[in-house]
Amino acid sequence: MKSILFVAALLLISGQAQAGNPLEGLPKSVVDKHIALNGPDNCQDDLPSGSEVFEIAKGKKLYIVPCIMGAYQGSGQVYVTSNNDLDVEPVIVLAYDEIAKGVVGTTNLGDPTYDSKTKILSSSGRGRGIGDCGQSSASRIIVDEYGGVSVKTVEIRAKIKCDGKLTKWPVVFKQK
């Protein structure tokens, strides 16, 4: 029993130590763009982890800004900067829209992650905690020979019906 209480206390302490405002420590240009697009009070200020930054090319960075943490998943926005963080653009990826029953562009990503080796930005949103429904996307961050940055969504998976069956969500969009 003592070990369970110790682990619980350790988790509580470590969670508090990491909590913070996701806009803290970001360049002013990224904070200003984020607030302009989302409003000044759109993000929780007590998230378990802060923003992440990745250098994607010389003078170009990718910022993942978590904004909301729910019971089992979060959401956030992603930005690409250039010119020493002076120029900021939100990243728009494709996602499956359940209401439109089609593919749409969005800046709101579920649990966004970036793999700097594969240059893939991933997003995933479960319809409920067990993960039997929801959608995910994989988008490639491309830096061309002139330094231009583009985003190409290469795959979207979606399963709308929450039926309790834990299967791989079907592909609803794919391109090379």
Side-chain angles (χ1 to χ4, degrees), residues 116-137:
S116 56
K117 290 181 183 171
T118 62
K119 303 199 181 321
I120 295 290
L121 174 65
S122 298
S123 174
S124 179
R126 294 178 298 245
R128 61 182 181 183
I130 64 172
D132 65 326
C133 58
Q135 72 162 290
S136 64
S137 70

Side-chain angles (χ1 to χ4, degrees), residues 21-152:
N21 182 336
L23 302 180
E24 213 168 273
L26 291 175
K28 183 179 180 331
S29 57
V30 175
V31 172
D32 290 348
K33 179 69 80 168
H34 186 78
I35 290 172
L37 293 174
N38 299 288
D41 299 321
N42 184 268
C43 291
Q44 295 171 316
D45 61 0
D46 60 348
L47 296 177
S49 62
S51 297
E52 296 178 87
V53 61
F54 300 89
E55 187 162 338
I56 57 173
K58 186 177 180 179
K60 300 195 182 298
K61 295 177 187 164
L62 182 137
Y63 288 90
I64 296 178
V65 181
C67 204
I68 297 170
M69 179 52 73
Y72 52 88
Q73 66 187 348
S75 67
Q77 282 79 35
V78 178
Y79 302 93
V80 170
T81 67
S82 59
N83 193 17
N84 293 320
D85 292 330
L86 293 177
D87 299 321
V88 182
E89 291 298 325
V91 170
I92 300 171
V93 301
L94 298 179
Y96 183 78
D97 185 301
E98 186 177 330
I99 295 169
K101 300 204 183 318
V103 175
V104 298
T106 184
T107 59
N108 189 25
L109 284 70
D111 283 332
T113 60
Y114 180 68
D115 184 330
S116 56
K117 290 181 183 171
T118 62
K119 303 199 181 321
I120 295 290
L121 174 65
S122 298
S123 174
S124 179
R126 294 178 298 245
R128 61 182 181 183
I130 64 172
D132 65 326
C133 58
Q135 72 162 290
S136 64
S137 70
S139 301
R140 182 167 288 114
I141 304 298
I142 302 164
V143 181
D144 67 27
E145 61 190 278
Y146 304 106
V149 178
S150 61
V151 179
K152 182 178 184 178

